[in-house]
Amino acid sequence: MNASTHQQLANFIWKICNLLRGPYKRNEYRKVILPLTVLRRFDCVLADTKQAVLAAHQQHAGQPDTVREQLLEAASGLPFYNTSKLDFDRLLDDPNLLAQNLNAYIGGFSENVREVIERFGFVDHIARMDEKNLLYEVVKAFAGVDLSVERVDNMQMGYVFEELIRIGAEQSNEEAGEHFTPREVIRLMVSLLLSPERDLGKSHVVKTIYDPACGTGGMLSVAEEYLLEHNRESRPILYGQDHNDEAWAVCKSDMLLKGQDADNIIRGNTFTSDGFQRHPDGKPWKFDYMLANPPFGVEWKPQRQVIEREHDTLGYDGRFGAGTPRINDGSLLFLQHMLSKMQPVDEDGAGGSRIAIVFNGSPLFTGDAGSGESDIRRWIIENDWLEAILALPDQMFYNTGISTYIWILTNRKEQHRKGRVQLIDGRQFFVKMRRNLGEKRKELSPYQVDDLTRIHGNFTHGETREFTDEDPVTHQPRTRSLAVSKVFDNSDFGYQKITVERPLRLNFAATPERIAQLEDEKAFANLATSKKRPGQQHDDEVEAGKRRQESIRALLDAIAEETDGEVIDDRDEFLEVLQNEASAAGIRLSAPERKAVISALGRRDPGAAICNDSKGNPEPDTELRDTETVPLGVEVDDYMAREVMPHVPDAWVDHSKTKFGYEIPLNRHFYVYEPPRPLDDIEADLQALEHEIVGMLAEVTA
């Protein structure tokens, strides 16, 4: 079955929804279609061994449950079975008891299948369809769909499940973050993840593969397929977790049908209920390969308390020691979770893990130096775990058209990659689809998947490819050679955010305008207030405050008379005048009062003398404070001498405020400047348009 055929089959199944119209809303259709598709698949797969299972069920009825379950699985040849005499065809023999019989048929499945159907919440819909006289026609329609392994293999069945979920999500208008990963994107991720591996061809090699946001299990299935294609004797063991009941049920069904250990698919929230925290012997879970496509831009506020507690109490011994991102996007939390599950690397270089994860653009650059996102990037890059980032074309996903990026990480880089990061621009690698699927308008061809994998393997700075696109000016096709791969040192993504200070310079004058501003100073106004309850003491304090205000006003008037309103451009000189006049008036200003006077009478003046603190150091002017971003490989003093001091020679760096940050401006590194059109060409076009308009007007007025 090819891709178009599985889409046709999914569309055919979805047309059964026409029977549900009226009693069911469009966004409810999949609550019926998905569980019935799963049930029909189990029904078809078990058909050949049905009689053998019934015979074994009768023969071993007196055996203990655990023994009987093993014998029934042996009879079915699969890790599940059904002991009911019914199947989809026989269910239709008694329309009046169809609901009762369908429930009994579901009850005849092994516990692992019953759990799956339970998570779909399908029992309620059996009763609902029966009440609305829909059940018989719906079951009859599914009985006519051949979902046997001979007709639809396990891989293609996975495609059908995903296509049904995609259609259902589209009809439910789900948000962009709730999307499913196209299979060609998964193939590219798996190829990037596994192509450098040298031991995949070993006989009976065992590899563990984990997806912490597994959804319907697409990534796990493609990874398994890749391993088996390259080595039929390999033993991929799949693990996954997802909090969505529906997606979990589909994934577990898929694992059961393929013979994988379905108990390795855990239902629950990865952050708050890590299903793979520790083995029964207490050892932490570790995996060889990890893949994920976590939801884009989904907030983690519901899990905030658990995550922040782990961050604060366990630090790097937990999963989130490097930091926590802003509350509205938990993508980097998934990555930290995966990094915590890397296999350790032995002294001889054996062991280790490889990770592939899909992000939107936010984790590349969101967050300033010192923020949670920047600290997480710093932790990853300084540990030399980031191997490569590949930019995908936009409009690749079903429910969102945003740009996406594949990150490849490992704790056992090849020798020539150590200390370096490869950026790959794959935005031009696409073919337009004949028919859009939701927001998905582009796809990767098998050749493009292979070519991007080759580019990753080549690890060449400046590698190019030729692309044909439309010239934005002439709108004619043009062919250009563009860089698709660049290699950087880890430190190229780091920077220091330095705080540049300039000295505070103030002049002072006791003029009527400045003295009047004293009334607006909070410390001065508060003198005539009292915190006591209304009464004599309250009134006495207010009156005393007013008298104090009058004495300060008189002091400033005396300074005005003494200086004749002259501007004093040295704060120390002004403070001496203030002190002398206060002593003469018998007034001792408190620190808040003194500060209020300085604020009212002082004005910033670039020509004034520098204000120094008690230790003789220049005081910084907070209004002139600025920050500069200095690349890690550049000395701060050299940067200041070259970029800052020629313009503001009195500036200095407050090193106590310096923060280190990391960002990955991938798009900027691949930006190609396109010069604007020559002015003469633009003018010629405008003149031609003017002549054309004049000619058209002449025809109208003729």
Side-chain angles (χ1 to χ4, degrees), residues 485-626:
S485 172
K486 294 189 177 183
V487 179
F488 299 89
D489 291 335
N490 287 347
S491 60
D492 291 340
F493 301 111
Y495 63 90
Q496 300 177 67
K497 185 174 183 180
I498 61 173
T499 300
V500 179
E501 302 282 16
R502 293 179 61 191
L504 178 65
R505 298 173 184 267
L506 298 173
N507 69 40
F508 297 85
T511 61
E513 296 80 13
R514 296 193 188 187
I515 293 173
Q517 288 191 12
L518 182 64
E519 308 297 330
D520 297 329
E521 294 295 327
K522 186 176 181 180
F524 181 79
N526 286 344
L527 290 173
T529 62
S530 174
K531 294 182 179 180
K532 289 184 170 59
R533 293 180 180 181
Q536 188 61 47
Q537 287 186 333
H538 173 278
D539 295 342
D540 290 345
E541 283 192 2
V542 171
E543 286 301 319
K546 289 180 178 179
R547 289 194 296 272
R548 181 66 175 176
Q549 287 178 329
E550 283 299 326
S551 64
I552 294 174
R553 292 189 190 102
L555 171 63
L556 299 190
D557 289 339
I559 293 174
E561 185 177 347
E562 175 68 24
T563 60
D564 196 22
E566 177 188 352
V567 175
I568 302 172
D569 61 3
D570 188 315
R571 188 177 66 179
D572 290 341
E573 183 180 337
F574 169 75
L575 291 177
E576 186 177 348
V577 172
L578 177 62
Q579 180 62 37
N580 291 338
E581 291 297 328
S583 297
I587 299 174
R588 184 169 183 173
L589 296 175
S590 67
E593 293 169 344
R594 185 167 175 266
K595 187 176 180 180
V597 170
I598 292 173
S599 177
L601 303 190
R603 295 291 183 274
R604 282 177 169 79
D605 180 357
I610 294 174
C611 299
N612 295 316
D613 61 20
S614 59
K615 297 181 180 179
N617 298 317
E619 288 185 24
D621 186 340
T622 56
E623 291 189 7
L624 297 179
R625 181 175 292 158
D626 200 0

Side-chain angles (χ1 to χ4, degrees), residues 249-279:
V250 171
C251 184
K252 185 155 186 172
S253 304
D254 194 28
M255 295 299 136
L256 284 168
L257 291 162
K258 292 190 299 187
Q260 279 280 347
D261 186 351
D263 290 339
N264 291 341
I265 307 302
I266 305 297
R267 182 177 56 84
N269 187 284
T270 300
F271 296 149
T272 59
S273 303
D274 183 5
F276 300 97
Q277 188 170 11
R278 291 190 180 276
H279 291 275

Side-chain angles (χ1 to χ4, degrees), residues 40 64 110 121 157 175-176 196 427 511 561 608 624 626:
R40 180 56 177 157
S110 51
M157 195 66 225
E175 61 186 71
R427 291 173 295 177
T511 61
E561 185 177 347
L624 297 179
D626 200 0

Side-chain angles (χ1 to χ4, degrees), residues 233-532:
E233 295 182 344
S234 64
R235 285 190 54 214
I237 305 177
L238 310 181
Y239 300 86
Q241 181 166 353
D242 204 275
H243 72 100
N244 181 280
D245 283 355
E246 185 180 89
W248 173 86
V250 171
C251 184
K252 185 155 186 172
S253 304
D254 194 28
M255 295 299 136
L256 284 168
L257 291 162
K258 292 190 299 187
Q260 279 280 347
D261 186 351
D263 290 339
N264 291 341
I265 307 302
I266 305 297
R267 182 177 56 84
N269 187 284
T270 300
F271 296 149
T272 59
S273 303
D274 183 5
F276 300 97
Q277 188 170 11
R278 291 190 180 276
H279 291 275
D281 62 3
K283 293 182 179 179
W285 276 91
K286 304 292 180 182
F287 301 97
D288 297 315
Y289 304 113
M290 289 171 268
L291 304 98
N293 180 13
F296 300 156
V298 175
E299 70 172 27
W300 49 280
K301 190 174 183 179
Q303 300 84 35
R304 181 173 190 168
Q305 185 176 358
V306 174
I307 291 170
E308 290 185 344
R309 183 169 63 244
E310 182 173 335
H311 167 72
D312 295 338
T313 58
L314 296 180
Y316 288 102
D317 291 331
R319 295 172 292 170
F320 312 115
T324 55
R326 60 195 62 198
I327 201 72
N328 61 2
D329 189 355
S331 299
L332 285 170
L333 294 174
F334 275 100
L335 181 53
Q336 287 189 86
H337 170 83
M338 296 166 78
L339 289 168
S340 74
K341 299 190 182 299
M342 290 192 296
Q343 299 273 18
V345 180
D346 299 338
E347 292 182 1
D348 58 359
S353 302
R354 289 180 63 77
I355 295 172
I357 188 167
V358 180
F359 283 146
N360 61 9
S362 178
L364 290 171
F365 47 77
T366 298
D368 203 355
S371 68
E373 293 92 343
S374 179
D375 286 347
I376 295 168
R377 288 190 294 267
R378 178 183 181 183
W379 174 65
I380 291 169
I381 294 173
E382 290 187 351
N383 277 287
D384 201 20
W385 292 333
L386 182 59
E387 178 176 290
I389 297 178
L390 186 150
L392 290 168
D394 58 5
Q395 301 178 354
M396 287 291 292
F397 287 79
Y398 300 120
N399 286 5
T400 176
I402 62 176
S403 298
T404 51
Y405 304 82
I406 298 174
W407 291 39
I408 304 296
L409 304 98
T410 181
N411 59 347
R412 51 175 169 82
K413 282 186 179 181
E414 298 170 279
Q415 188 62 40
H416 64 285
R417 286 184 178 271
K418 288 185 176 179
R420 311 180 81 187
V421 176
Q422 182 182 17
L423 301 183
I424 301 172
D425 187 1
R427 291 173 295 177
Q428 301 298 322
F429 288 74
F430 65 87
V431 291
K432 290 194 173 181
M433 300 175 64
R434 294 181 179 177
R435 183 174 67 88
N436 298 342
L437 293 175
E439 295 291 329
K440 183 173 174 60
R441 296 174 174 85
K442 300 174 182 177
E443 61 184 354
L444 293 166
S445 69
Y447 174 79
Q448 289 169 331
V449 170
D450 292 342
D451 196 22
L452 287 167
T453 304
R454 277 192 296 271
I455 292 169
H456 171 257
N458 292 342
F459 192 62
T460 301
H461 183 76
E463 185 170 355
T464 61
R465 292 290 187 274
E466 288 194 347
F467 298 98
T468 300
D469 60 359
E470 181 183 282
D471 188 300
V473 176
T474 65
H475 301 292
Q476 297 299 314
R478 64 177 180 181
T479 300
R480 297 186 296 166
S481 180
L482 300 175
V484 294
S485 172
K486 294 189 177 183
V487 179
F488 299 89
D489 291 335
N490 287 347
S491 60
D492 291 340
F493 301 111
Y495 63 90
Q496 300 177 67
K497 185 174 183 180
I498 61 173
T499 300
V500 179
E501 302 282 16
R502 293 179 61 191
L504 178 65
R505 298 173 184 267
L506 298 173
N507 69 40
F508 297 85
T511 61
E513 296 80 13
R514 296 193 188 187
I515 293 173
Q517 288 191 12
L518 182 64
E519 308 297 330
D520 297 329
E521 294 295 327
K522 186 176 181 180
F524 181 79
N526 286 344
L527 290 173
T529 62
S530 174
K531 294 182 179 180
K532 289 184 170 59

